[in-house]
Amino acid sequence: MTVLLIDGMFNPLKINLEKIYGQVDFRACYEGTQNQATFELRETGKFEIHWTGVFFYDEFFMGEYKKNGDTIFLDFETEIPRDLSDTLIIDGDYIYSLKSDSLISTYFYLGHCKGLN
């Protein structure tokens, strides 16, 4: 257990998780005042959203996706996080959720998190 703990913290065994889970083809970030989330699409057709926040909030949302142009179709294995839907639209540098024929801002922007909060 000690080896796993040390490797989890510092990765001296140089385990490449990208080879195991697949390369990240697309990423986006949400930065709120007391929480943030990362959204990644992997080449394997899987996606993951990692949402963290105050009071030790830490949750993963996962599933499979299909991307067609500026539209991303998500098939969640878990519950759907707030402000998201199973259909997302990329417009410029931002991601919008499609709900009842309306585009609703998800406040996710494309790329790595910038540390804005």
Side-chain angles (χ1 to χ4, degrees), residues 28-91:
C29 182
Y30 165 83
E31 293 182 295
T33 54
Q34 296 184 359
N35 59 14
Q36 77 173 25
T38 56
F39 174 47
E40 297 177 338
L41 302 180
R42 298 192 176 269
E43 67 182 2
T44 58
K46 303 267 185 185
F47 75 87
E48 57 196 47
I49 300 168
H50 183 202
W51 214 298
T52 59
V54 296
F55 304 116
F56 308 104
Y57 177 77
D58 188 14
E59 192 165 7
F60 282 91
F61 304 92
M62 296 174 255
E64 296 182 355
Y65 77 92
K66 289 188 176 64
K67 188 169 183 278
N68 186 2
D70 64 351
T71 306
I72 303 169
F73 301 98
L74 303 176
D75 182 17
F76 283 87
E77 294 173 2
T78 57
E79 66 184 77
I80 299 175
R82 63 178 177 87
D83 297 332
L84 292 182
S85 68
D86 58 357
T87 305
L88 303 177
I89 306 294
I90 303 167
D91 185 20

Side-chain angles (χ1 to χ4, degrees), residues 86-104:
D86 58 357
T87 305
L88 303 177
I89 306 294
I90 303 167
D91 185 20
D93 289 336
Y94 295 93
I95 297 177
Y96 296 88
S97 183
L98 183 63
K99 291 183 182 178
S100 303
D101 294 333
S102 297
L103 290 181
I104 299 167

Side-chain angles (χ1 to χ4, degrees), residues 2-15:
T2 303
V3 170
L4 292 175
L5 178 65
I6 290 172
D7 187 58
M9 292 171 55
F10 304 107
N11 197 14
L13 300 178
K14 306 294 183 221
I15 297 172

